[in-house]
Amino acid sequence: MELICPAGTPAAFREAVEAGADAVYCGFRDETNARNFPGLNFSREELRQSIALARRKKVQTFVALNTFMRAGDEALWYSAADDAVAMGADALILADFGLMAYVAEKYPQQRLHVSVQASASNPEAIRFLVEAFGAKRVVLPRVLTVQDIARLTRQIDCEVEVFAFGGLCVMAEGRCSLSSYATGKSPNMNGVCSPASHVRYRQDGADLVSELGAYTINRFGPGEASGYPTLCKGRFEIGDVEGYAFEDPVSLDVIDEIDALRAAGVSALKIEGRQRGKAYVAEVVSSLKKALGASPGERAALVARLRAMSEGQRTTTGAYDKRWR
Amino acid sequence: MPSLPPLLVKPVDLAPLWLVERVARHLFSGVLKAHPDLFERLGAYRETCYGFSPVDLPLHFTVVPAMKTLAVSRGAPPLVDARIEGPLVLLLGLLEGRCDADALFFSRDLSVTGDMEAMLALRNALDDSAIDLPRELGALAGPFSPLVAGTARYIRGKALEGRDATWN
């Protein structure tokens, strides 16, 4: 299985390549990608240089243009696709059907991957994307069990990529409006979940309080591991109960399922984390690369230290090994 | 949480503010000169007034990248647009991109307040800049450059030992 690794900056890109990535995915510094955070992402020239570096090292570059085009502003997404193709991107990761149609018509030879943001999770939807736009790979939403994935891969005629490690969204990828409700901005349309402009942290005695817009998201006690300020991982009072309404602050780790995923027909494992630093990228990519080549018994030890770098300092197998609360 | 040994804290505590400020300004100016790409990635946030407060030193550092100004103060933290607090070695590790800021935030080793857009932009700009503080310090030391850079590298290695603070 290929290891698909994140890069938010050219420095992180180099780290991913050196640490053993088979492919690195990244995006432009604008709303065309779902990690549109300040100071992050690539200028045209930086991407050109990064693709050239990857080529020399026999590593592929996937360019994520995985937000949904805003009516009237389609030119931003079209020009990003034009530039990525001209620079020699090995694949474009797309979510918007209109953009898929544009790329499929204008660049029929360009390899097209279906982003997780497209939320394609059943054989009918995926077959449509393959037939209509020539999609070569689908990145599955993190809503399926390993058994679901195995059933799905048998019914479709394209490669399957799944998330293996990193940040974990609740189960409405590409359709989540929680961030929009609180801030007016969303990952789907603006490329930002919980935009930093609306995030505030404050110390209240020994507690850390995180706020998003007008909402208090969480209050972490002394020494308690913290998480991202997203509504889906907020701790709320519901009736008489205080707790995590949607999901705990926790990261995905399905390294224990590598063999089952391979047997299920998965072609590539994806690491989430374009918003993370190069130290994280280097550590996670090299650990997972080693884990892929290790025996099942050795894997847990190889990735155990990554838990400390994870949101909430805890990991879960999420929906892959469905054990609902 | 790593913290500076008292042997290092005491002299800094006793040193006159102008001296600490002078050394810090030299280093800051050297970093800015060697890494002009920092400004490009910072964008409009170069105008932000950033505060750095090491929890193990009785000092606060205030920086405005666009103005190329750095001030050092003692006592109450000065008013800034965005502030980061944590052990000095981790703040320096972040400056060099040797530590992952999110991981240190999750573990509560760091705390951030104020304008989070500006803080994120700075974090990402620093992470991409390949700053090497021992090399920058060495560059300021004239004929003693190899000695100063080597000593600084040794101290850095010891200070960050056991942390997830390395890259290829």
Side-chain angles (χ1 to χ4, degrees):
Chain A
M1 284 187 291
E2 292 174 13
L3 194 57
I4 317 299
C5 306
T9 60
F13 192 105
R14 290 191 290 274
E15 292 304 323
V17 168
E18 291 301 320
D22 294 303
V24 183
Y25 69 102
C26 52
F28 290 124
R29 215 183 288 175
D30 55 34
E31 292 173 272
T32 61
N33 88 85
R35 285 285 184 270
N36 180 26
F37 291 107
L40 206 63
N41 298 313
F42 291 67
S43 68
R44 285 347 192 219
E45 185 52 33
E46 286 170 344
L47 187 62
R48 199 186 318 278
Q49 290 174 6
S50 298
I51 290 175
L53 166 79
R55 282 261 162 85
R56 288 197 297 277
K57 302 278 186 177
K58 300 194 184 330
V59 172
Q60 296 186 84
T61 305
F62 300 164
V63 178
L65 306 170
N66 58 344
T67 48
F68 294 88
M69 296 193 290
R70 194 172 44 250
D73 287 330
E74 295 88 348
L76 178 67
W77 281 262
Y78 291 158
S79 75
D82 293 339
D83 291 345
V85 172
M87 287 172 193
D90 294 288
L92 303 189
I93 308 173
L94 309 178
D96 187 301
F97 288 7
L99 190 57
M100 288 186 202
Y102 175 82
V103 171
E105 283 166 24
K106 195 166 178 190
Y107 308 106
Q109 300 307 313
Q110 177 63 49
R111 193 175 165 89
L112 191 158
H113 291 183
V114 177
S115 167
V116 67
Q117 285 286 98
S119 215
S121 56
N122 58 64
E124 289 76 17
I126 296 167
R127 277 199 293 262
F128 168 75
L129 296 168
V130 171
E131 286 163 18
F133 310 120
K136 295 287 189 290
R137 178 179 295 185
V138 59
V139 184
L140 293 180
R142 288 157 274 193
V143 299
L144 304 169
T145 64
V146 176
Q147 290 75 22
D148 291 335
I149 294 168
R151 274 192 293 274
L152 184 62
T153 55
R154 286 197 293 271
Q155 299 176 66
I156 57 175
D157 191 21
C158 77
E159 298 166 4
V160 165
E161 180 176 315
V162 299
F163 280 90
F165 194 90
L168 186 60
C169 277
V170 289
M171 298 166 181
E173 285 161 303
R175 298 167 185 171
C176 180
S177 296
L178 284 173
S179 185
S180 283
Y181 287 135
T183 70
K185 290 185 174 179
S186 75
N188 314 322
M189 304 301 290
N190 311 96
V192 279
C193 176
S194 296
S197 53
H198 290 66
V199 173
R200 285 289 180 276
Y201 297 107
R202 62 182 171 83
Q203 289 294 138
D204 186 6
D207 290 354
L208 169 69
V209 178
S210 60
E211 298 167 339
L212 180 68
Y215 302 91
T216 298
I217 300 291
N218 214 332
R219 176 185 285 270
F220 299 98
E224 185 183 7
S226 66
Y228 287 121
T230 55
L231 275 171
C232 62
K233 294 180 181 177
R235 189 154 40 183
F236 304 107
E237 286 172 11
I238 305 165
D240 298 330
V241 181
E242 184 192 278
Y244 290 101
F246 302 98
E247 192 165 52
D248 296 18
V250 62
S251 282
L252 182 71
D253 173 7
V254 292
I255 299 311
D256 286 344
E257 306 286 343
I258 284 178
D259 293 329
L261 289 167
R262 192 182 278 125
V266 169
S267 303
L269 298 178
K270 184 167 211 153
I271 300 170
E272 186 277 344
R274 280 192 283 150
Q275 76 285 9
R276 302 295 294 260
K278 63 188 173 195
Y280 175 88
V281 169
E283 186 70 32
V284 174
V285 175
S286 60
S287 296
L288 264 67
K289 188 72 179 177
K290 283 180 203 152
L292 274 172
S295 68
E298 295 169 319
R299 285 177 196 147
L302 283 169
V303 298
R305 62 195 309 258
L306 302 181
R307 202 163 295 137
M309 304 178 87
S310 300
E311 182 175 14
Q313 298 195 307
R314 288 187 298 140
T315 55
T316 174
T317 50
Y320 291 86
D321 179 20
K322 199 181 273 177
R323 272 177 283 182
W324 303 109
R325 288 194 291 201
Chain B
M1 189 186 290
S3 59
L4 287 176
L7 201 65
L8 283 176
V9 176
K10 203 68 189 166
V12 179
D13 198 10
L14 294 174
L17 217 48
W18 65 264
L19 181 62
V20 180
E21 202 166 62
R22 188 164 172 183
V23 173
R25 276 180 183 162
H26 266 293
L27 188 58
F28 177 59
S29 146
V31 166
L32 289 186
K33 208 174 286 175
H35 300 279
D37 48 320
L38 244 175
F39 284 101
E40 196 272 321
R41 197 165 274 279
L42 262 179
Y45 302 104
R46 70 185 72 172
E47 309 283 345
T48 302
C49 181
Y50 291 99
F52 303 88
S53 299
V55 293
D56 44 3
L57 270 186
L59 297 171
H60 305 284
F61 298 84
T62 305
V63 168
V64 182
M67 312 286 285
K68 301 187 178 179
T69 56
L70 181 148
V72 184
S73 60
R74 289 194 170 106
L79 210 59
V80 293
D81 298 320
R83 177 186 312 285
I84 183 164
E85 294 177 47
L88 182 69
V89 292
L90 295 185
L91 294 181
L92 296 178
L94 278 179
L95 184 69
E96 293 191 320
R98 281 181 185 271
C99 303
D100 180 71
D102 289 17
L104 296 177
F105 172 74
F106 297 147
S107 64
R108 307 283 297 275
D109 285 322
L110 290 182
S111 66
V112 284
T113 50
D115 184 341
M116 284 304 111
E117 271 197 319
M119 193 52 86
L120 216 48
L122 179 67
R123 188 280 301 263
N124 292 328
L126 289 172
D127 203 67
D128 193 45
S129 287
I131 293 169
D132 183 349
L133 284 176
R135 189 179 60 206
E136 314 293 351
L137 271 171
L140 300 176
F144 302 105
S145 174
L147 180 67
V148 170
T151 308
R153 265 192 198 103
Y154 176 79
I155 293 171
R156 179 178 68 190
K158 282 285 174 199
L160 292 174
E161 215 165 43
R163 310 282 315 180
D164 297 311
T166 54
W167 67 82
N168 296 296

